[in-house]
Amino acid sequence: MTLKLGTEIPGTSADGNITTLWVPTIKDIKAPTMAELEAGTDISNYVMLGGWSFDPSQDAVSDQRENAVQNFGAPGRKSAGDISIEVIDNTNTEHQEQNEAVTLMHEGASGYIVRRRGIATDTPLAVGQKLTVVSVICGEKQVINPDASTMIRSKIPLFAKAPGWESETAEISNPKG
């Protein structure tokens, strides 16, 4: 199929269409259940715009044949890259009781970051929706020096603990587990 000039290609705004959860346990990273996801905490309101950093990459395996005039390749090891999340940090403020992201993701905490894109945040999770699920252990919270007119926030470094974290390859399974 050839794309014709002037063809309108629809797109979906990211605004209000991203949900982020912290989930304590997931048995199958590719098929989290509704019960597992409902046991998690929606931290979407704490995540700063552009604050999710997840840059997976894949090495190339060199395939150089003696009799060929070309080099070939194959997909190699995958890396989750530098993973972190920048969140509102209400430590020592009048809002410190509302600090779930920082409280849940303290250094040494293990869990799962679950991200859903393309569906309004206030739309409930449903069977069949595609997710990115990353099994992580949290590093030491890093306080971000404020700029003018910004919120108090921190960056939490995350480290991948288990395989299976490819972007949007997980699908919500059975309704309650």
Side-chain angles (χ1 to χ4, degrees):
M1 180 176 140
T2 303
L3 183 64
K4 295 179 183 175
L5 291 177
T7 302
E8 189 173 320
I9 305 296
T12 302
S13 172
D15 295 345
N17 289 318
I18 300 174
T19 301
T20 304
L21 306 173
W22 173 261
V23 180
T25 58
I26 293 177
K27 185 176 179 181
D28 181 352
I29 199 169
K30 293 295 188 187
T33 66
M34 287 296 294
E36 290 168 332
L37 297 173
E38 288 170 353
T41 302
D42 187 341
I43 59 169
S44 302
N45 284 333
Y46 292 95
V47 180
M48 299 302 297
L49 182 62
W52 170 241
S53 178
F54 177 61
D55 300 312
S57 63
Q58 188 166 20
D59 293 337
V61 174
S62 178
D63 183 0
Q64 298 175 330
R65 308 292 172 103
E66 184 176 76
N67 68 339
V69 296
Q70 294 179 317
N71 291 331
F72 305 101
R77 286 186 173 267
K78 294 180 180 181
S79 170
D82 291 331
I83 311 170
S84 65
I85 194 163
E86 184 180 323
V87 296
I88 296 288
D89 187 347
N90 288 321
T91 303
N92 290 328
T93 73
E94 68 273 17
H95 308 296
Q96 65 187 11
E97 272 102 50
Q98 296 169 331
N99 211 21
E100 284 89 355
V102 170
T103 301
L104 291 168
M105 295 188 290
H106 58 83
E107 184 176 7
S110 292
Y112 297 81
I113 295 288
V114 176
R115 302 260 298 170
R116 179 185 73 178
R117 297 184 321 146
I119 298 173
T121 299
D122 59 357
T123 300
L125 296 167
V127 172
Q129 292 175 350
K130 298 286 187 188
L131 308 169
T132 298
V133 180
V134 186
S135 173
V136 298
I137 187 166
C138 300
E140 180 181 4
K141 175 180 88 168
Q142 301 166 356
V143 172
I144 297 174
N145 290 326
D147 296 320
S149 303
T150 59
M151 304 302 283
I152 294 175
R153 59 204 194 284
S154 291
K155 178 177 163 181
I156 300 170
L158 305 168
F159 302 91
K161 284 185 26 174
W165 38 255
E166 291 85 3
S167 295
E168 298 177 335
T169 58
E171 187 172 305
I172 300 174
S173 67
N174 58 356
K176 290 290 179 186

